[in-house]
Amino acid sequence: MLLHEQSGLGSVLLRAAGAKHDASGRDRQAASQNARSRAQVPETGEPGVLARMYVRRAARVRYAFRMSGPRFLDHDPAPGANPAPGGATERLALAALLLATVLSGLLCVFPELDFDLWWHLRTGRLIVEERSIPTADPFTFTAEGRPWVTHEWLAEVLFYGVHELGGIDALVLMKAVIAALALLLSAAAGLSDDGRFRLAAAAVGVLAAAPLLQPRAFVRPHMLTALLLGAALLCLRREAVTRQRVWRAALLPLFLLWANLHSGFVLGLGLVALFWIGEAWESGGRDLRGGGRPVDRRARNAAVWLKLRSRGSWFAALLAVGLVNPHLHRAFLYPFDLMARREVREAIVELRSIFHPAYADALFLKALAAAAVIMLALVWSERRRVHWSMVLPGALFAGLAVNNLRGVSEFAVMVPAFMAVHGGVFARRPAWSRAVSLAVILLAAAGGAAALRWGVPMGADPPRRIALGHERDNLPDAATRFLRDAAPPGRVFNLLAFGGWFIHELWPDRRVYIDGRLDVFPPGFLAAYQTLMRTSDGWDRAVAQYDITFAVVNYAADPLRDAGLRARLRSDPEWVVVCFADNLVVYARRVPVNADLVKSFGCPFDPSLRTPASLVAWLERAAAPDVIQAAAAITQMLPFVAEAKAPRAVLIPILLRAADLELERDDRGGAKARLEQVLALDPRLALAHMRLGILHAQTGDITAARRHLDAARSLSPHEPAIERNLELLESMGPPR
């Protein structure tokens, strides 16, 4: 095929080749024209004349840029170099890009950890069932009826639909696909007409961005913001490269959708504004008619102004489209109003700095440093052709990422496009492209294997293993079942982290004290909640104001040093433990409505200290009725706590002590019943088998005694006490 019959790329190369033969003549002609233009500039004159003259000159500069090859080719091939890598190089780079994209999705396949997912799902269900979007809080008794900006309503309907179709597994897979697509769209945005030359740089960008997107890869609407950031970046870049306004027009429906999915569309407006400012600055940067020499400042400013003025109406249209949502301007102002409240900033863990000690060994921090170094190196390699349309938004999102963890995921979306746009060095050096592509393939394969084997390091938190489902250990399952099936009506104080699950499982029968929708609560409420949890100040006031009859709290990280609400509940005789599991304790207030519940489930032993020493100390000083009551209460709890280990670990020593008390009263039948309960909880407990064997021997049941003593010896070989009891059993003669 002839060169002039090929695509736009071929025509650009043809013009570039033809330009070599008459370069000197054109330079002389351009220099003469510039000289005449300078000679025509009056020293003084009317401002209107000067303005029109510079506007015409800027228009000529714009036309020259539009018709020039470098405007379509994002690199300047070195003289004599082969600008097009071979087919094998392209295929290798494409394989690297696809494998890095798969890795980015794989890293996001971990059991769902976020507590807010559950109130999102309940809100989506409410919207579908009521066929209306709530604008006032229906879920809490502390902020009931207060304004609620449901800026994520469409995302919540989407999540609810996916959950109904495939459960939590489908949602986890959906977020992984969203993460991979976000980075792939960003990589595509960095590939222009010479995109195949930059595949290696795009692959590096996706590989570096994958660990950055992972820390906040939860099933939450902000993941859709990451996806739409990538889509907006693609539209902006394609419009800049192809000059087809259809890409600019595509931003309008994109922002219409975005404004109803998540308030992160405000970040999209920032991206568009900075991209167009940078693009305008680039367009006025060089006078190509003059062989690449800079134009004078006034002509450049005029060109920039013209470019910005042509984008102004489109930006206004995007702003107008963003207001097409159920909350109008309040959805636009939502993130600013939220961040303006200090108590909100202090309550959101994601807003702490990335340099927080908890993230010291996290993978994303190392990836962030690597991405920053690579991006700076690529900009330096392209310093003669810096793409300000990418540098300006890249600087914005980099600043957000350094400021707090929440900004890291948005910055991750910028990384592939940024590296691809500034990756011209790979177009000029195909050998580098092959080497880098091979390195990306090896690193992506090794990273995927390591993630499958050991999980993803998260600093102070446990590594995130690759799996579906959600972490039930973090959810108040036991409290949910107990409050729904055993507890009488009454208001429940709950932790902020538990609010979303309670909304999903218990609403509308029970409303919650607090949940993750921090904007709905009145000023000062969140600060009071934090103080209450830290020092217990204000607890009596909250109980009286809201008539709280139940409290559901988690265990303190250091119970012995805890001086907050948990310690207050543990020491207050007005509150009694009625249920506990591995991650929570449920307290009931001693009020008439709870009298029957406390009688059946009230446990004299409080497990919140979580130390064996505390249980031993209590057993030593507890009266017999308290031990019997504790054993009965915990036994009553077992159907509600499912597979929780804590109740069983506490119940076994209490039952053993209760068996001793039964023997002190010479009630061997009661002691046998207690020991049988112990073996039902832990069939491999040698001590219970031995003691039960002794009891059977004392009552003359030699067969049962031998069975239990043999079981004890098999579980604990060479235990002297077991061997002595077996010898005594043999001396008693044959079994009867």
Side-chain angles (χ1 to χ4, degrees):
M1 182 182 291
L2 295 178
L3 185 60
H4 69 275
E5 293 175 345
Q6 296 179 8
S7 63
L9 176 63
S11 62
V12 170
L13 293 175
L14 181 60
R15 289 200 302 272
K20 284 186 177 181
H21 297 290
D22 58 347
S24 58
R26 278 201 323 178
D27 288 346
R28 288 193 298 271
Q29 182 180 359
S32 174
Q33 290 176 352
N34 287 339
R36 286 197 299 273
S37 298
R38 287 192 296 270
Q40 293 172 1
V41 176
E43 295 297 329
T44 60
E46 297 181 4
V49 174
L50 289 174
R52 286 193 297 272
M53 181 183 66
Y54 285 117
V55 166
R56 288 194 297 269
R57 182 179 299 178
R60 290 195 297 271
V61 171
R62 284 201 307 159
Y63 179 78
F65 265 81
R66 186 182 301 116
M67 298 305 296
S68 62
R71 191 57 190 158
F72 291 87
L73 279 170
D74 288 343
H75 70 282
D76 298 317
N82 179 14
T89 302
E90 294 174 23
R91 289 192 293 273
L92 187 65
L94 181 60
L97 175 60
L98 295 179
L99 191 58
T101 303
V102 171
L103 176 66
S104 67
L106 178 66
L107 294 183
C108 297
V109 180
F110 56 85
E112 185 57 30
L113 301 167
D114 190 67
F115 299 106
D116 288 343
L117 165 65
W118 307 106
W119 65 258
H120 282 305
L121 292 176
R122 193 62 184 84
T123 303
R125 177 181 171 184
L126 178 64
I127 293 172
V128 171
E129 291 177 347
E130 300 291 335
R131 298 187 181 276
S132 64
I133 300 170
T135 58
D137 171 45
F139 296 137
T140 72
F141 57 82
T142 52
E144 184 178 0
R146 283 184 56 82
W148 176 26
V149 180
T150 48
H151 61 99
E152 302 157 321
W153 72 271
L154 190 55
E156 288 159 346
V157 171
L158 172 64
F159 291 172
Y160 170 68
V162 174
H163 186 262
E164 286 295 296
L165 291 175
I168 191 66
D169 290 350
L171 286 172
V172 171
L173 292 175
M174 182 190 73
K175 71 166 180 180
V177 172
I178 288 174
L181 281 178
L183 298 185
L184 191 60
L185 286 173
S186 176
L191 306 177
S192 57
D193 284 2
D194 62 335
R196 64 186 189 279
F197 303 161
R198 300 171 186 269
L199 283 171
V204 173
V206 172
L207 181 66
L212 303 182
L213 201 56
Q214 193 265 351
R216 292 186 66 232
F218 305 124
V219 183
R220 277 171 43 190
H222 73 265
M223 291 299 294
L224 297 171
T225 279
L227 177 64
L228 294 175
L229 270 176
L233 200 53
L234 177 64
C235 292
L236 290 169
R237 282 283 303 159
R238 294 306 299 166
E239 193 268 337
V241 170
T242 65
R243 299 295 178 182
Q244 297 176 2
R245 290 197 176 186
V246 65
W247 293 102
R248 194 188 312 173
L251 291 172
L252 296 175
L254 184 71
F255 272 81
L256 177 62
L257 178 66
W258 201 344
N260 290 277
L261 287 170
H262 189 239
S263 62
F265 77 93
V266 175
L267 292 174
L269 292 173
L271 168 66
V272 171
L274 291 177
F275 186 94
W276 281 346
I277 290 173
E279 185 185 31
W281 185 257
E282 293 173 27
S283 69
R286 293 178 181 275
D287 182 3
L288 296 185
R289 298 169 304 142
R293 291 188 297 274
V295 299
D296 62 82
R297 183 178 300 174
R298 286 179 291 184
R300 175 176 185 158
N301 292 343
V304 171
W305 170 247
L306 278 177
K307 190 81 170 182
L308 291 177
R309 190 173 64 178
S310 68
R311 298 289 192 269
S313 59
W314 283 92
F315 191 77
L318 292 179
L319 283 173
V321 165
L323 298 177
V324 183
N325 66 79
H327 302 280
L328 303 176
H329 65 285
R330 286 175 294 175
F332 178 83
L333 297 176
Y334 172 83
F336 303 102
D337 292 340
L338 195 66
M339 292 300 102
R341 295 174 58 180
R342 180 179 179 180
E343 59 181 345
V344 172
R345 297 195 303 270
E346 292 177 350
I348 300 177
V349 176
E350 295 173 350
L351 291 182
R352 63 188 180 187
S353 170
I354 61 172
F355 302 111
H356 191 278
Y359 303 138
D361 297 323
L363 177 63
F364 83 88
L365 202 58
K366 300 176 177 61
L368 185 62
V373 170
I374 296 172
M375 292 167 73
L376 290 174
L378 289 176
V379 170
W380 176 256
S381 71
E382 297 285 303
R383 59 189 178 277
R384 296 181 181 273
R385 185 76 168 89
V386 175
H387 293 262
W388 292 103
S389 58
M390 293 300 301
V391 170
L392 293 184
L396 168 67
F397 288 102
L400 294 176
V402 171
N403 185 56
N404 56 66
L405 178 63
R406 178 167 282 192
V408 173
S409 56
E410 283 77 24
F411 174 69
V413 180
M414 293 295 303
V415 171
F418 190 99
M419 289 190 183
V421 167
H422 291 92
V425 64
F426 299 110
R428 296 187 291 270
R429 294 177 173 83
W432 287 20
S433 177
R434 290 190 290 272
V436 167
S437 299
L438 185 59
V440 168
I441 290 174
L442 294 176
L443 286 174
L452 289 170
R453 176 64 178 84
W454 296 292
V456 181
M458 296 303 300
D461 295 331
R464 289 182 183 171
R465 56 190 176 86
I466 305 300
L468 297 175
H470 63 280
E471 289 288 354
R472 283 201 167 269
D473 293 343
N474 294 332
L475 298 176
D477 267 348
T480 302
R481 287 189 291 269
F482 183 81
L483 292 170
R484 182 175 54 220
D485 301 333
R491 288 183 168 177
V492 181
F493 172 87
N494 60 274
L495 299 183
L496 188 154
F498 292 165
W501 179 257
F502 283 160
I503 288 172
H504 185 263
E505 294 294 314
L506 299 177
W507 190 85
D509 296 330
R510 292 186 189 269
R511 298 172 188 261
V512 301
Y513 182 86
I514 190 173
D515 65 270
R517 300 166 304 125
L518 303 182
D519 57 300
V520 305
F521 299 100
F525 180 85
L526 297 176
Y529 168 79
Q530 297 286 354
T531 302
L532 188 153
M533 292 301 301
R534 188 171 58 253
T535 67
S536 80
D537 291 345
W539 174 241
D540 292 333
R541 183 170 59 254
V543 170
Q545 179 179 357
Y546 299 113
D547 191 23
I548 296 171
T549 56
F550 295 97
V552 183
V553 296
N554 61 351
Y555 295 102
D558 189 352
L560 297 177
R561 295 185 179 182
D562 180 39
L565 178 61
R566 304 172 187 86
R568 167 67 183 274
L569 292 169
R570 185 167 58 245
S571 61
D572 191 342
E574 187 180 1
W575 294 86
V576 60
V577 175
V578 291
C579 184
F580 65 95
D582 295 338
N583 61 340
L584 59 85
V585 182
V586 180
Y587 291 88
R589 185 179 166 201
R590 295 183 186 271
V591 292
V593 70
N594 287 340
D596 292 339
L597 180 76
V598 171
K599 183 178 180 180
S600 299
F601 292 89
C603 182
F605 172 70
D606 190 318
S608 58
L609 287 177
R610 304 199 79 185
T611 59
S614 66
L615 178 58
V616 171
W618 182 82
L619 288 173
E620 289 177 350
R621 68 175 186 270
D626 287 340
V627 175
I628 301 301
Q629 171 62 20
I634 298 176
T635 302
Q636 288 270 74
M637 297 176 197
L638 292 182
F640 301 101
V641 298
E643 299 300 323
K645 298 177 182 178
R648 289 166 172 79
V650 171
L651 180 57
I652 288 173
I654 291 177
L655 288 173
L656 291 174
R657 176 57 178 159
D660 291 339
L661 294 173
E662 300 286 2
L663 288 175
E664 290 177 5
R665 296 189 303 180
D666 200 26
D667 184 0
R668 287 186 172 86
K672 286 181 182 179
R674 300 297 183 187
L675 292 173
E676 293 288 354
Q677 281 185 271
V678 171
L679 290 177
L681 295 171
D682 186 2
R684 299 184 59 79
L685 187 62
L687 176 61
H689 279 290
M690 183 185 74
R691 294 180 63 177
L692 196 56
I694 294 172
L695 279 176
H696 282 298
Q698 291 173 349
T699 57
D701 191 348
I702 303 301
T703 302
R706 184 178 298 279
R707 184 176 69 252
H708 284 288
L709 287 173
D710 285 341
R713 181 167 58 182
S714 66
L715 293 169
S716 182
H718 312 299
E719 174 63 36
I722 298 174
E723 296 296 337
R724 284 197 300 271
N725 281 293
L726 280 170
E727 292 174 1
L728 289 173
L729 186 65
E730 292 293 337
S731 67
M732 295 175 66
R736 293 181 294 173

